[in-house]
Structure formats: structure tokens, C-alpha cells
Amino acid sequence: MRRFLLHFFFPHESNNQRAKLLHPSGLILIIGLFVFFQVTINQLTINYPQVLGYAAQISPEEIVRLTNDQRQANGLAVVRLDPELSAAAAVKAADMFARDYWAHVSPVGTQPWNFITQSGYSYRYAGENLARDFSDAKSVVDAWVASPSHRENLLNSRYQDIGIAVIDGQLEGRETTLVVQFFGTKLSAAPSLGASTSIVKSVQAAESQPAPAKISPFDVTKAVSLTLLIIFVVVLVIDLVAVYQKKITRWTSKSFAHLIFMLALLIAAFIISKGQIL
């Protein structure tokens, strides 16, 4: 074991004074193992959702509160939680799970506004934000605020009501949590500013929080990425120190390749921790 550790992680005679991890073959091996690991995690998530999966830990009331905090901070009136809009949001989330899509418009052409009107809410203005795979309510609202189009929707002064649905299910072969946020102003609640209604659309995606009895595959992948990054940085530093202390002369240097590999791991960890915007 000691010989293996010396060979793989430290400059040694057996590896030509460069840790095997820093050789091209070592980098390829690590990349291959990481890809294999990720494929395995994806399959486990699909086949064993009771072990690797997600469950909602996001409170609709908290999303409403945080949304209103943002509105008040920007000098806007708060929006009221409306049961009809919340019912519409729940139906929209159920429809996305049932038809297996992640978009404003369903595969059969159903617009978000159809769900709103079918719930009995007659609107003059309406807007929709969608979220998936977030860890908590604050992460959802923070991500919406960070995106210009989502922020414009959330801080629209024309909206008076809000509806929220947080639903667990399987989408695109994965267990996940969807958050649907509808905004609206009823026909009877605001004067007309023109013949047409105002529609603001936006979609948001990121990471979700697992149930206590489950393990989040996002968390596992993030932990592995960060661990590999730390190991790689430590080995690279040891290599540089050894070269300086032993005055090792090398004909070639692969520092640029090492930096690219390290940057790739860092980006992977960052993307996993922050999620994606659609």
C-alpha cells in the first residue's frame, strides 16, 4: 500500500519523479472513473429513488414571504396568496410530471394561462416562474432575483396575487421537486391599461433538497468533485515543492493540462452547487 501511495501521489523513482496522478494516463484514469461514477449515480437515482432522490423541503408560505420581502425592499406592494392561483400552480406541476416536460408550454400546446383560467381565476395580468431541484425556499427566490427576466417577473408592480405549488415526482427519469409560481391580477381588481393582457414568462432551475431518509445525488457528486479537486491540488503542490527542493529537471511540463483539469473540476463543483437556468 505504501509503495502504491508513493507511486500514485508523490514524486518517486518508480514514476520518473512525477506523481502518477499527474501523468496523462493518471488524468485519463481519474476522468474515466469520474464518468463511470456519474453514470452509476444516475442509474441508482432512476432505479432506487428511495435511496437516491428528492423530497420537497420547500415551504410555499416561505416563498411567498421571501417574494414579498423582495417586493417591499423595492418599494412595491406585497402580493396576496390566492387559492385559485395556487390550485392552478398545482395542476401545472402535475401536468409537467404527467407529460414529462419542463417548459412553459406543454407538449400538446397548453399555455400556462390555461391552467390559471381553468382554476376560475379571470386575470388581467399573469406571470409564471418555474423552479426545479432547489434546496430550500431562499435558494429558489435568490435564483429568481439573480436572473434579470425572473427578477422582472417577481418585481412586476402590476401583480396583486400569487399562487405557489411545491410538488415531488419523477421528471425525465429522475426524482425531483418542482416549484410553480403564478402571479396575477384579477380583471375586477385593476383598471385596464389597454386591450391586451400583460404576460411575463420565465423558467428557473437548480438543485433540490433530499428527504431525511434519502441521499441527494447532487450532494454526492458535488462532494466527489470537491474531494478530487482537493486531492489534485495537494498532489500538484507536493510535486512543485519536490521539483524545487530536489532541483529536478524536466524536459516537458504539463502544468497547463493540470490547470485545465483542475479548472474543469472546479467548474463541475460550482455548477452542481448552483444548478442551472433554463
Side-chain angles (χ1 to χ4, degrees):
M1 177 59 70
R2 180 175 177 276
R3 181 175 298 180
F4 170 79
L5 293 176
L6 285 174
H7 179 74
F8 202 78
F9 295 107
F10 298 91
H12 193 258
E13 294 178 358
S14 64
N15 52 37
N16 197 27
Q17 297 300 328
R18 183 191 291 272
K20 187 64 177 178
L21 178 64
L22 301 181
H23 286 239
S25 58
L27 295 178
I28 292 173
L29 175 63
I30 294 299
I31 293 173
L33 289 175
F34 184 79
V35 171
F36 176 77
F37 165 81
Q38 191 57 50
V39 171
T40 302
I41 286 292
N42 291 341
Q43 289 301 313
L44 288 174
T45 302
I46 294 172
N47 297 327
Y48 301 98
Q50 69 276 16
V51 178
L52 288 169
Y54 311 93
Q57 298 292 318
I58 301 172
S59 166
E61 292 77 16
E62 184 68 4
I63 290 182
V64 174
R65 185 187 70 79
L66 293 170
T67 297
N68 280 328
D69 285 348
Q70 291 291 332
R71 291 177 66 86
Q72 288 181 308
N74 286 272
L76 300 175
V78 299
V79 286
R80 301 179 299 267
L81 187 61
D82 184 273
E84 291 177 341
L85 281 182
S86 292
V91 174
K92 172 61 183 288
D95 189 67
M96 283 192 286
F97 281 127
R99 299 185 188 276
D100 198 31
Y101 70 95
W102 170 239
H104 287 294
V105 182
S106 80
V108 296
T110 305
Q111 298 282 341
W113 332 119
N114 294 107
F115 297 104
I116 294 177
T117 55
Q118 288 171 8
S119 73
Y121 188 97
S122 298
Y123 68 89
R124 184 176 302 279
Y125 307 112
E128 178 189 55
N129 281 342
L130 302 179
R132 62 179 291 184
D133 304 334
F134 275 92
S135 59
D136 52 58
K138 187 177 185 302
S139 298
V140 175
V141 176
D142 284 349
W144 280 332
V145 172
S147 169
S149 59
H150 300 71
R151 177 183 173 88
E152 181 182 357
N153 205 25
L154 191 140
L155 299 181
N156 193 319
S157 61
R158 292 175 170 176
Y159 297 143
Q160 297 182 4
D161 302 318
I162 187 174
I164 300 291
V166 181
I167 309 295
D168 298 331
Q170 189 172 84
L171 188 69
E172 298 172 342
R174 289 172 175 266
E175 291 289 322
T176 190
T177 299
L178 295 182
V179 180
V180 178
Q181 181 184 56
F182 277 144
F183 292 102
T185 296
K186 293 181 179 179
L187 277 172
S188 59
S192 175
L193 298 180
S196 61
T197 57
S198 171
I199 295 176
V200 183
K201 305 177 183 180
S202 56
V203 181
Q204 175 70 41
E207 283 181 80
S208 76
Q209 173 73 27
K214 297 182 180 181
I215 302 172
S216 167
F218 284 118
D219 290 343
V220 173
T221 303
K222 177 184 175 182
V224 170
S225 298
L226 291 175
T227 300
L228 286 176
L229 179 62
I230 292 171
I231 292 174
F232 187 81
V233 170
V234 170
V235 172
L236 189 58
V237 169
I238 291 174
D239 181 76
L240 294 174
V241 171
V243 168
Y244 176 78
Q245 290 183 342
K246 298 180 180 180
K247 302 187 183 301
I248 299 173
T249 302
R250 290 171 177 162
W251 293 103
T252 61
S253 173
K254 300 182 178 59
S255 297
F256 181 73
H258 297 154
L259 290 175
I260 292 296
F261 180 70
M262 184 170 62
L263 181 61
L265 287 174
L266 186 61
I267 291 174
F270 180 80
I271 290 176
I272 292 167
S273 65
K274 290 295 183 182
Q276 302 174 5
I277 294 178
L278 299 180

